[in-house]
Amino acid sequence: MSIAAVSSPSKLHQIKTLISVASTVNHLKQIHASLIHHDHHHDTYLVNLLLKRTLFFRENHYSSLLFSHTQFPNIFLYNTLINGLVNNSLFRETLDLFLSVRKHHGLSLYGFTFPFVLKACIRSQNLTLGIELHPLVVKCGFNRDAGAMTSLLSLYSGSGRVDDARKVFDEMPERTIVSWTAFFSGCISSGKHGDAIGLFKKMVESGVRPDSYSVVRVLSACVQVGDLDSAEWIANLVEEIEMQKNSYVNTTLVNLYTKRGKMEKARSVFDSMGEKDAVTWSTMIQGYASNSLPKEGVELFHQMLREDLKPDQYSIVGFLSSCASLGALDLGEWGSGLIDRDEFLTNLVMGNALIDMYAKCGDMTRGFQVFKDMKEKDRVIMNTAITGLAKNGHVKLSFAVFGQTEKLGISPDGYTFLGLLCGCVHAGLIQDGLRFFNSISSVYSLKRTVEHYGCMVDLWGRAGQLSEAYRLICDMPMKPNAIIWGALLTGCRLVKETRLAERVLKELIALEPWNAGNYVQLSNIYSVNGRWDEAAEVREEMNKKGMKKLPGWSWIELEGTVHEFLADDKSHPLSDKIYAKLEDLGNEMRLMGFVPTTECVMFDVEEEEKETVLGYHSEKLAVALGLISTGHGEVIRVVKNLRVCGDCHEAMKLISKITRREIVVRDNNRFHCFTNGTCSCNDYW
Ligand code: ZN
Ligand code: ZN
């Protein structure tokens, strides 16, 4: 078709149609050539149409040529080009064009283009230029334009100029979700999380419906500053307005609920999600680990692997810390094998989790090896190593690690000394303990905390020096708490000092009226001393408060499965064999002259009556399962949630001798390694 006489309206219409249906750039170029041939290429209306189409095909260079070859470019052409370049993400080019037109054509040409240019400034991070344009924007009357004003708001917010952003915000004729979000995002970037959260609430009050981006932004801010009340308010709002939740919102909600310890709610959001990425899985796994639900953490980790997801740093850390709580060494080893060893050795967080797992599972030899192999070390990892070594009885080695701090360029903190003192307590090293305790403030100018005092009370108490311990408590600069009195009680227990214990327990009951163990112990002390009325009174008080004795439970990991036991538990499938094994062992123990002990019972929190002839506390059941399920020479590792009672402790020593097995029991306080009739704690726990 020829374009001979464009001037006629029907011809014009035909060309318009031709341009709009052109399916390739070549078609457009042909039309353009034809326009030039008939000298119609200065018809800005037609050129504008062509320009729109070439920009649509992302022929940016050709579009620019079209524009620059137009003899009298007008504002429409100019806007079309600017708009097209922004849409094609050519922000740099947009700004170049803007600046050159500004130079050559003056103010009149760029009036309408501000919304696009400001957008280009934001997208190309040219914030200064955008802000420079502010007075011009106002001069051209664009302070009534919501789009331009929102862009200015973003520019100020992005530059951290929150006060200027607020001025723009206050002057805005109408506020959309975009402008609100731009404003509170700026507050968040400038660290003003509280302001952002307040703005979000105002926005909702003013009737603007939040979108998922704004929700994620503010929820994250809440979690970051620990304003969990506001976070939960937003979570409820999201439910209320039945917002279409995307995976970011959901993951943020999972994160929030795990932080709040609301694991069931977290899980229900988690389960409601379709596609889940590694971040969501990790958040949930870590949530279980940090909320003392390690079994669930381990199970979810397995499920993650079943769904063919590769474990990342965060999920492996959550998994390892679950294994640490469970004392599940083999499981932890297996999990760490899923990730390249070098990743552990170069990543402080992962390395720390691995050392902690080994430490808590009682294999500090390997834990220490990881520590030594770490490519770099920080204070956290050093503290984990010191505490792990101390709790596993390698006290001198923990001192040696401490001796390296200066060489490593790490300054110790309160936790470092807590680890060291804990080692002194377990090994009964009073002189070393005193030295460290004194150096905390005198050498390192750190503040001694109530926990440090607790260790010292423990240290004196365990050495039987109760008067020293009591004096330290009286001299403390802070009010003694339950940890302090608990440490003194341990001392009383060891030397069977019931008069002081009675006083201590009364303090403890005042401090933690919910802790049934204190009442049980006090009542036991009264009973042993024949003070039946007082014993009955304590029982009565317990009943009135509806208190139950603490359930003691133990668990053992066998081939990746964790088996849990309560006292006298008969729910395990191998229950018959377990009880038969314990009966056999009981007979042998009696032949060796073993009589279940009763004298310590007054300090046992778990059971008010002494055990039957052959007791079935949970740790014995777990050990028996270990004995019948593993081969000769294998170490049996059991974890218990309470302190091992004196009777079980004696029994374990004998069982280790009879069966020639090493038995490791981790109670809520320390490790007991039973071998050949003795325990690593030297009966000192
Ligand atoms: Zn026991
Ligand atoms: Zn022991």
Side-chain angles (χ1 to χ4, degrees), residues 409-438:
I410 299 169
S411 53
D413 64 1
Y415 291 105
T416 319
F417 287 99
L418 212 50
L420 293 165
L421 287 174
C422 163
C424 296
V425 170
H426 282 164
L429 302 172
I430 291 192
Q431 286 316 312
D432 289 304
L434 268 175
R435 186 165 53 85
F436 286 129
F437 182 73
N438 289 328

Side-chain angles (χ1 to χ4, degrees), residues 22-33 50 54 57 59 62:
S23 57
T24 65
V25 177
N26 273 341
H27 281 165
L28 290 171
K29 286 181 180 170
Q30 280 166 18
I31 297 168
H32 187 206
L50 262 177
T54 52
F57 285 113
E59 279 295 312
Y62 190 74

Side-chain angles (χ1 to χ4, degrees), residues 649 672 679 681:
H649 196 267
H672 300 269
C679 179
C681 74

